Every structure is written in structure tokens, then in C-alpha cells.
Amino acid sequence: MSDYGIALDLGTSGFRAQAIELGSNKVVSTAITNRHPLPGANVIDHVNFAIDTGRSTGNRLILNALNRLLSLLRIDLEKVTRVAVCGNPFQLSLFQDIEIRDLAYAGKKMLKSLGVTPPKRDGEVVQASDLGLEGLSRASVIIPPAVSHEIGADALAMLLMTGAMEQDEPCVVVDYGTNAEMALILDGEVYSGSAAAGPALEGQQIEMGMLAAPGTISDVNIMDGGWDNWVLDEEYLPLHCDTIDPVSGDIVNRSECHGHAKGVTGTGVVAALDCGISAGLIKMPNILTPDNLLHLQDGVYITENDVAEAGKAIGAIRAGYLTLMREVDLWVEDVPTSFMSGASGLYVDALKAQRIGMVSPGSRNIIQFGNTSLALAKELTIGHIELDDLRAFAHRLRAKHCMFATSEVFKNIYAIELSLWTYGMPMSAYNDMLDIYNLPHLPTEPVKANIVRRVKRDIPDLGTLGVTVLKDPGMILRGVLKDCKQCNKCLRSCPEDALTIEEGTPYPMAVIRSDLCDGTACKRCELVCPTHTMSLKNMRTVDTDESQGKA
């Protein structure tokens, strides 16, 4: 039997792993998590949590999830000789348990005052056992380089694996994830940015939302008499299912897969938004139905809050790519090609996405690609790309990073987006608002785009053994509540039911499931605590059976 390799993608919304038979380079199996083990819904939340509770806590949460994930690959881990990992600089730094404060704080003076020496992050090979990966006694781990703390291995993967760097004309490439990495490529020069879009476009922070998984509604289409629903099957391929009246929820046409829908993924939310707007059922931020819901298959629905959450994410993405275009004195008509990567970028109906603003209205060519981070990790694992080649690419890459947080253009465009999605401004007033900020107009209708989908699935090859899902990737966090009055306000305030309170001696104990907690962006439990004894900063992991994700 040949040795094995493992490709790892440490994504902001979850982890992906693939076992590969070296020699034949065949994928044996795939294992994924349905969320990230750290509290929070984006990288900013993860950074804040790791800074507050300590780097070691974040490292421990990641390693716990990875060790459990690798055990689901159904191979002999002692036969693994090579592992390659990809992710953004923060995820990889926590994985390696190296300095993260240089990623959290801006300015050399601040870092100097903290005594921080930023690590090189130039790529390296480390023994798996030294990193804390269990059962991999023979394996070395390839960690790819970063260009800078803003442009990490995930951005390199996005640029390399999509083929965006090979374009003769200006193009935009966007990884439609929680943090929406994006780049505009002009004459071989890369202008990058990262918009904190949030998790709505991946189905999270949506009332009935889920990450892409079997049983999730991935698309809807307007048909005579109702909306057709498409649901992902066990192979992550969309099945044509029920036709539903979106106003009443009545079944217009029942299919063989009736009863299969468990929730809606981000692409389904995007499709519902587009269909709702097109059908006149959505006038932002309101849904114009008797119960203010859009009804999908099997009782799944879209709320007005879902529209607002998705709209804020779409607005951040549109503000991002428009800001990059303005950075180089281009506008939408000057950039003919858009690349869409990531699960949301692949599964979404590209024309629907373009109509609601996720894709530039000037894009005549839209190319959809799947998970580029896992694809790069796989190429490193099987040796099609060598670490030295990746270092050379990173070193010669001429890249300029645009900090959206300090960009006046981004702030102004995002203010317009918020007016559109949350305050009821009509789309007809969008160009009037652009005039105020001396920005060019957007076309009232997108150009007719040619759509190319490079792969069928986000993970094209699931392997001969298929995919396994780790549904509880987190650990249990505990913290003493010295001044707790046991009023239970914190329990009632938790939107994810991540928190319980246990009796303790001499004080009660807060018990939080890390992967369900919304982290520092939420802190509702802290805010409602009358004695301010509840604090995420005081939470620590524990070595018990409960740490396997069950509160």
C-alpha cells in the first residue's frame, strides 16, 4: 500500500481535509467541519478571541478540531508522510502557535511597545508531531508563505488556482467567504483588499441558514405558479425539488426529494433575494408578504433580518471591488472579467449574483471556481507545486494592498450600500448618491455575461470513500462566575444556545460550546449581565469528554 498525503484548508468558516494516495495521486476521502472551532463568525472575531484569551487557547481549539477531523479520513495515519496546509495568515499562525499580535495591531510603534517581533511567514516544513497533530509520526507539514500579513497563502491560492494571473485584460477575482478576499489584476500588478463581509453568504447568521451540506437549499428559480427549489444531495450536487408558492408556502408541485430540505445555504439566500426583488416581494429592507417571510421548500423560509444580513455582506463586496477599481482609475466597464472562488462563488447562480451586486455589472465573462485553498494544498501535497516555487511566486508578486478600513472611497460606497439594504433607499437613487461622492455611475442593468463554471463542486473530487462531516468541531470553554445572581439573562440572550450555567462550589460556572458562540461580535451574554461577571476573556478550554463539542 502506498503512503498517504493530506491536504488541509483552514478556512474562516470551517476546515477541509482530504486524504490522497501518493503515487497514484488519487483522493481517498474527504472530511469537513460544519463551522469553525473558535467563537465568532469572521477572522476579526477569531483574532479578538485569541488575543483576549491567549494564543494557546486558540491553538488548542484548532488542533483539537484538526485531530478529530483527520480521524474521519478513514486511513492509517501512520502511513501519512506529507501534509500541506493553506489558509489566511492568522489561521496558519494559530495552527503553528506563533506570534499573532502583528496581525491584530497596526503600526510599528504599537508593535514595538508590545515587544512584538513579527515572524517571517516565508513558508517552511515542520514535523507534524511538533505541531501537535496526533498519529502522524512520519509526516512533515508544508506551510506556504505569505506576501505580507494582508496577503496570505489563501490569497496566493486564489490568484494561482483560478488562472486570474494569466489574463491579458484587467480582471477581478473574489473569494466569496466570510472575509471576501479580492484582487484586481492590471498589467501583471495585483491590487488586493479584504472586505469583512460576514458569514451570511455562507448561510450563517441566517435564521434557517446552514453551510453548504446535503439537505440545504442551494438555488431557487421563478416559475409559473411558484418558485422551483434546488437541494444539495449527498454528493453536494443540486437536485431539482419542490415548487413552492413563496407567499403562502403551499406546495405547487411535489417532487421525489420532498422532505429533504433542512435549511438554506448562502447561495440559496442570494437566489431568494434575487427572485424576491424580481417578483416585487422584496422592497429593502421589507418582505411584502402577509407574514413578512419568503417561503421555500419543507418549511424553510427567509426573514427580513436575513435580507438585511445578506445585503450588508453583498454591499461590502460591491464596495470592495469598486474601491479597487477606483484605486487604479478604472470603473466597471473597464474590467471585463470576474473570477468567483470559494463555495459561495461556485454554487451561486452567477447571473443572480451579478444582478444583486455581488459581481461587477460590467463583467462580460464570469468564471466560477471552487475551493482554491484546498486545491493549492492538494497541489503541494502531491508535488505538482513545490514550496520553493510558491516562495518564488510570492517574492516576485508585485502587490499593493488597499486597506478598506481607512479608504474614504470604500467608506462612502458602503454608506450607500447600507442606505440601500437597511434604510429603504431605492436602487434608482444609487447613482444620485454616487454623484455626491464624485464617483462614476453604475449601469442600470448588468451587461450580458458569459458564464463558465470550471468545476461541478466546491471540492471537485470527494474521493472513493466520500465525505464525512464533523458536526461539533468546538470544545467546551469554562469560566467561574464569582458574582453571578443566577438571573439567567445571559442564557436567554444567547442567539445560538451556546451557553449553559452549571452549579459550582463555591461559584456557578459558565459553560460555552466554542463553535456555536458568536464571539466578540456578539457578547450579548456579557452585555446583559447585571454584575458584569460574565466575560469571554475568562473562558478556558477543559480536558473532559465534554470538550468533544457537547455541552
Side-chain angles (χ1 to χ4, degrees), residues 56-57 59-61 63-65 67-68 134 474-479 509 511-512 539-550:
S56 61
T57 299
N59 171 257
R60 192 173 181 202
L61 287 168
L63 285 178
N64 173 72
N67 284 323
R68 294 166 57 212
E134 298 172 355
M475 295 179 71
I476 293 301
L477 303 174
R478 292 180 183 271
M509 183 80 67
V511 181
I512 294 177
M539 299 297 160
R540 295 294 182 269
T541 57
V542 292
D543 287 317
T544 69
D545 291 339
E546 290 179 330
S547 69
Q548 300 310 305
K550 299 177 178 64

Side-chain angles (χ1 to χ4, degrees), residues 354-368:
Q354 188 180 37
R355 282 196 293 266
I356 64 174
M358 288 172 62
V359 183
S360 169
S363 292
R364 300 190 297 273
N365 304 296
I366 302 175
I367 301 168
Q368 295 177 277

Side-chain angles (χ1 to χ4, degrees), residues 122-355:
D122 197 31
E124 58 183 316
V125 178
V126 185
Q127 286 303 116
S129 55
D130 292 340
L131 292 169
L133 293 174
E134 298 172 355
L136 303 177
S137 60
R138 299 174 56 205
S140 57
V141 181
I142 304 168
I143 299 171
V147 178
S148 65
H149 78 269
E150 301 100 347
I151 306 173
D154 56 338
L156 293 180
M158 178 181 72
L159 294 170
L160 279 173
M161 304 310 296
T162 58
M165 294 295 296
E166 301 165 12
Q167 296 295 303
D168 294 328
E169 295 181 302
C171 66
V172 167
V173 54
V174 179
D175 185 347
Y176 289 87
T178 302
N179 294 292
E181 299 284 348
M182 61 185 70
L184 186 148
I185 302 167
L186 175 64
D187 297 329
E189 192 155 338
V190 177
Y191 298 83
S192 67
S194 178
L201 299 183
E202 294 188 340
Q204 298 182 84
Q205 291 189 349
I206 299 296
E207 186 163 323
M208 298 197 72
M210 298 170 59
L211 291 173
T216 52
I217 297 170
S218 63
D219 198 8
V220 293
N221 289 301
I222 298 175
M223 303 296 289
D224 290 339
W227 289 6
D228 279 2
N229 287 246
W230 295 76
V231 179
L232 295 181
D233 66 9
E234 293 299 322
E235 294 295 315
Y236 283 68
L237 296 175
L239 291 178
H240 185 195
C241 294
D242 294 353
T243 304
I244 302 294
D245 182 335
V247 176
S248 66
D250 294 339
I251 301 171
V252 177
N253 183 42
R254 185 188 297 259
S255 71
E256 291 183 1
C257 63
H258 176 79
H260 287 193
K262 304 172 184 176
V264 57
T265 192
T267 60
V269 174
V270 169
L273 280 181
D274 176 69
C275 291
I277 293 169
S278 298
L281 295 178
I282 295 178
K283 184 178 181 182
M284 281 87 76
N286 301 315
I287 296 177
L288 307 180
T289 61
D291 56 4
N292 305 119
L293 301 174
L294 290 177
H295 294 274
L296 307 178
Q297 180 170 332
D298 298 326
V300 179
Y301 54 79
I302 300 293
T303 71
E304 291 183 337
N305 186 64
D306 296 340
V307 173
E309 287 297 319
K312 287 184 283 188
I314 294 163
I317 290 169
R318 178 156 53 187
Y321 67 69
L322 291 178
T323 299
L324 290 181
M325 291 177 186
R326 197 61 179 163
E327 185 82 4
V328 292
D329 294 324
L330 299 180
W331 202 238
V332 295
E333 64 273 9
D334 304 313
V335 185
T337 301
S338 286
F339 288 85
M340 306 179 71
S341 72
S344 297
L346 173 68
Y347 290 125
V348 74
D349 184 314
L351 293 179
K352 292 187 180 83
Q354 188 180 37
R355 282 196 293 266

